[in-house]
């Protein structure tokens, strides 16, 4: 998703890929856009710390359904 299409206050699907113990895994979760910054955006999810993402991470990992 392009950063210019993000809307603060709206929820987006965050899909990321990682390797745990040599096993490739894909995780999904809903995150809420809090603020758009010059280098990316800040998201939040329930009681977790804020999530800072760069423009490249947003394009690769954030989806709108």
């Amino acid at each position: 998703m392009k950063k210019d299409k993000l809307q603060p206050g709206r929820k987006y699907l965050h899909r990321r890929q990682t390797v745990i113990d040599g096993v490739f895994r894909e995780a999904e979760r809903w995150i809420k856009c809090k603020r758009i910054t010059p280098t990316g955006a800040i998201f939040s999810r329930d009681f977790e710390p804020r999530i800072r993402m760069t423009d490249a991470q947003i394009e690769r990992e954030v989806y709108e359904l």
Side-chain angles (χ1 to χ4, degrees):
M1 165 169 234
K2 297 283 187 186
K3 180 178 95 171
D4 59 346
K5 293 187 177 190
L6 289 175
Q7 296 176 1
R10 188 163 182 189
K11 289 188 177 185
Y12 297 93
L13 186 63
H14 178 216
R15 287 187 183 150
R16 65 186 185 107
Q17 300 171 348
T18 188
V19 176
I20 300 173
D21 292 332
V23 178
F24 176 78
R25 301 193 186 265
E26 186 172 300
E28 290 183 346
R29 63 183 176 175
W30 288 97
I31 56 176
K32 186 176 190 178
C33 180
K34 290 300 219 178
R35 184 169 29 132
I36 298 171
T37 64
T39 59
I42 298 174
F43 296 88
S44 70
R45 181 172 184 261
D46 299 329
F47 301 104
E48 293 181 12
R50 295 195 178 205
I51 304 158
R52 294 180 182 270
M53 298 179 81
T54 63
D55 292 346
Q57 288 175 309
I58 292 168
E59 287 188 27
R60 189 174 58 245
E61 300 176 3
V62 176
Y63 298 89
E64 182 177 26
L65 294 181

